[in-house]
Amino acid sequence: MDRASKDDAFEVTDSTDWLDTPMKSLAGVDAALRCQVCRDFYSTPMITSCSHTFCSLCIRRSLNNDGKCPACRSPEQEMKLRNNNAMEDLVEAFKRGRADILAFARIPAIPVAPTRKRSLEQAEEDVEDSSPKRRRSGRTKSSSQTKSSQKATVVADSDGDSDYSPEDGTVECPICQRRVKETGINKHIDDGCPDELQAFPHITKPGSSRTGSGYAKSSIQLPEKAIKRPERLPQLNYSTTKDNVLKKKLTDAGLSAGGNRQLLEKRYKEWITLWNANCDATKPKSKGELKRELEIWERTQGGRATASSSTQMGAIIRDKEFDRDAWSGKHNDDFKQLIANAKRKAQAKKSENTSSANTPAESAGTATPDVAPTTPDVVIGDNGNDDPILIEDTPEKPASQKRFFDESNSDPPPSSQYQSKLGVLDKDAGLASDITTIRSVQP
Amino acid sequence: MAFATKRLGKELTKLHGSLPPGIELVSAEGFEEWLLDIKVLDANPLYLNQTYRLKFKFSPSYPIEPPEVTFVNTKDRPIPMHPHIYSNGIICLDLLGSQGWTPIQNVESICMSLQSMLTGNTKNERPEGDQLFVANNRRRPRDIDFYYHDNTV
Ligand SMILES: [Zn+2]
Ligand SMILES: [Zn+2]
Ligand SMILES: [Zn+2]
């Protein structure tokens, strides 16, 4: 899980949150800022050549699976994906304001309610003029005023409003063309147009920059081009890649080379996906963090992989960051938490609680079979190294210490031994290919 | 949190909140298996006054991979009669196969597709070879290579 979403991991926000407020129309905005694959706000949004947008990780996983756009089924290739920067800015801006706006929208509507959260000055302005435009810029102001780092308040306006001159106490700065409170204009100019956009003299239109409107970040950001992005990994042609080559690729990346061929391929594919998605990110994660994500992925794939190779997959991590007991219950706990939240929200919505025969949270005792640990003989392939990933990681430890899964556990050989039992189940082990195809009826 | 878990949590929130007519959440006790009931909304005599139970099983690769969806037979929940639904509850629907699936589909949209699949049906019959298939099949639905010749049925 990426760092940004860690805090709200269990906060299941949804576009329907707006429907029981007077701001119903924001449900559409909220929904439009979400990836259709993961249902979350876009994380590193990428646009396809068919002009659909998904999180980098989501679209890469999808393409890896079937090579088609999830929205329109057009064939697509990973190399054609491009960052959708405008969407990323939009999402970040919306996420920052969402909780506040939602809380505001949920305040029972009484006539004076809008003035509560604002300064006296703005309240007065509202009395004079309460057109939607005015209100919006007022809101922008009040939110940017909360940023203490802001010296003079810059009112961001949208592109469509460029010819609009509101009588809201702002004037256009003759130097940077942004709207500044009239009372602060002199100081603004004296200070040399101080705000986060100062480092971008070529950007004159608020809202068109990567730093976005209302994003009062006092530190100067490097221009994007200065970010040296890590290099993407090429996909392997697995049909022509020999076992030892694949194993070397894994060990070179600092990953486990343990497990059967199928597992190695899946692991390396997922690594490439994680890595390449990270290359798209504005703020790339460290290699250590990516390895942890691969680790989580490998754990949660257990249900699938154990069918054919439980002994390879059964290993569990022994690491201070991956407490074994915590992990074994983790997956289920996550879900319990989510269920509890879902129910809580549902109940909050229904003023009257109808009879609920299904009470998932109460029947939470069920164990998650696929993450059951068997052998705790494994060292996680992470040395706690949290360097930014653009800094080249030196190939750290010898492979033996970098293993996710200890090969010595692979006592019973892979799938073959279980073929008779698992043939019915296991497509991934390539066992289903010899089973006669079923044809459904033709009408 | 795992990818599938988080997405399912979001779907569940929505299912608890509001559902389209004729769809009801029965249980969702983990990320592996959910049960939902569906009803056919129009007056199709084949399905009149009946409720059908669907079992969803999710892999950790959901929604990149489709869930496994079958009808289950209980005391008051029969398996609906349809030329693409075997009497053991296995459904032959392209949407649920790896070829027809897309990750933007979800539990709700699957339920609605199945509703409309039933709504549009007029044939009171099982797929050809139903008995043989039911007697012999031990594979999971997603591993069966159905052919989708005609999705209008
Ligand atoms: Zn996504
Ligand atoms: Zn598309
Ligand atoms: Zn200026």
Side-chain angles (χ1 to χ4, degrees), chain A residues 34-44 53-59, chain B residues 3:
Chain A
R34 289 172 187 269
C35 165
Q36 288 190 90
V37 173
C38 65
R39 299 298 181 91
D40 222 332
F41 288 117
Y42 287 114
S43 161
T44 308
T53 296
F54 306 93
C55 307
S56 181
L57 201 50
C58 291
I59 185 62
Chain B
F3 194 61

Side-chain angles (χ1 to χ4, degrees), chain A residues 48 50-52 54 69-74:
Chain A
T48 62
C50 45
S51 302
H52 290 109
F54 306 93
C69 168
C72 69
R73 315 290 293 152
S74 304

Side-chain angles (χ1 to χ4, degrees), chain B residues 28-55:
Chain B
E29 301 188 354
F31 91 100
E32 284 115 27
E33 188 174 305
W34 293 6
L35 296 175
L36 285 99
D37 277 351
I38 63 166
K39 284 180 183 148
V40 177
L41 295 174
D42 73 345
N44 188 333
L46 284 173
Y47 312 113
L48 208 58
N49 299 323
Q50 285 291 353
T51 304
Y52 302 104
R53 180 150 299 172
L54 286 167
K55 181 166 79 180

Side-chain angles (χ1 to χ4, degrees), chain A residues 346-419:
Chain A
Q347 280 166 0
K349 276 178 188 167
K350 292 171 193 164
S351 55
E352 192 150 82
N353 198 1
T354 51
S355 71
S356 56
N358 43 322
T359 50
E362 285 153 29
S363 51
T366 49
T368 311
D370 63 295
V371 291
T374 56
T375 38
D377 292 341
V378 172
V379 178
I380 188 176
D382 175 34
N383 51 7
N385 171 11
D386 258 49
D387 295 336
I389 201 154
L390 26 157
I391 296 166
E392 193 58 50
D393 271 62
T394 46
E396 303 108 316
K397 300 281 170 62
S400 61
Q401 285 191 37
K402 303 295 293 180
R403 298 251 162 88
F404 291 143
F405 302 104
D406 195 333
E407 279 171 295
S408 65
N409 292 326
S410 55
D411 207 71
S415 46
S416 59
Q417 185 163 327
Y418 300 109
Q419 185 155 4

Side-chain angles (χ1 to χ4, degrees), chain A residues 173-178 180 188-189 193:
Chain A
C173 167
I175 297 162
C176 70
Q177 277 91 47
R178 275 167 294 156
V180 178
H188 170 80
I189 293 171
C193 304

Side-chain angles (χ1 to χ4, degrees), chain A residues 185-424:
Chain A
I185 185 64
N186 287 335
K187 185 170 179 356
H188 170 80
I189 293 171
D190 289 345
D191 291 349
C193 304
D195 69 8
E196 80 283 0
L197 296 179
Q198 196 175 11
F200 300 89
H202 57 288
I203 294 166
T204 55
K205 224 168 199 186
S208 64
S209 78
R210 297 282 295 132
T211 43
S213 58
Y215 189 26
K217 215 178 162 194
S218 56
S219 64
I220 291 170
Q221 291 193 335
L222 287 175
E224 237 182 312
K225 278 170 193 164
I227 298 174
K228 187 176 170 288
R229 299 194 177 218
E231 289 227 345
R232 292 190 176 83
L233 294 170
Q235 294 288 351
L236 275 188
N237 181 347
Y238 292 95
S239 58
T240 59
T241 306
K242 294 208 168 70
D243 283 3
N244 55 342
V245 178
L246 182 55
K247 282 185 179 177
K248 185 164 187 317
K249 291 250 177 216
L250 285 160
T251 7
D252 287 351
L255 307 173
S256 160
N260 63 15
R261 170 75 191 203
Q262 177 206 351
L263 185 56
L264 297 187
E265 286 188 13
K266 285 177 87 172
R267 183 183 301 143
Y268 195 63
K269 274 185 196 164
E270 180 66 10
W271 177 248
I272 291 180
T273 302
L274 287 170
W275 179 276
N276 288 352
N278 192 48
C279 292
D280 301 329
T282 316
K283 293 172 196 150
K285 297 166 194 164
S286 74
K287 190 171 181 180
E289 224 169 324
L290 289 188
K291 284 182 186 172
R292 277 190 289 278
E293 285 178 12
L294 182 69
E295 192 68 38
I296 289 171
W297 172 84
E298 193 141 350
R299 310 264 89 240
T300 55
Q301 294 301 304
R304 298 295 307 285
T306 43
S308 62
S309 54
S310 57
T311 45
Q312 277 85 7
M313 289 298 294
I316 193 94
I317 313 137
R318 189 166 56 202
D319 181 275
K320 52 184 178 297
E321 285 187 281
F322 276 90
D323 175 55
R324 174 166 156 242
D325 294 330
W327 175 255
S328 59
K330 176 94 173 82
H331 205 57
N332 217 32
D333 287 346
D334 282 354
F335 198 82
K336 277 185 239 165
Q337 183 81 47
L338 285 169
I339 288 170
N341 280 0
K343 286 192 64 184
R344 188 166 41 76
K345 289 183 94 165
Q347 280 166 0
K349 276 178 188 167
K350 292 171 193 164
S351 55
E352 192 150 82
N353 198 1
T354 51
S355 71
S356 56
N358 43 322
T359 50
E362 285 153 29
S363 51
T366 49
T368 311
D370 63 295
V371 291
T374 56
T375 38
D377 292 341
V378 172
V379 178
I380 188 176
D382 175 34
N383 51 7
N385 171 11
D386 258 49
D387 295 336
I389 201 154
L390 26 157
I391 296 166
E392 193 58 50
D393 271 62
T394 46
E396 303 108 316
K397 300 281 170 62
S400 61
Q401 285 191 37
K402 303 295 293 180
R403 298 251 162 88
F404 291 143
F405 302 104
D406 195 333
E407 279 171 295
S408 65
N409 292 326
S410 55
D411 207 71
S415 46
S416 59
Q417 185 163 327
Y418 300 109
Q419 185 155 4
S420 56
K421 282 175 199 158
L422 292 166
V424 283

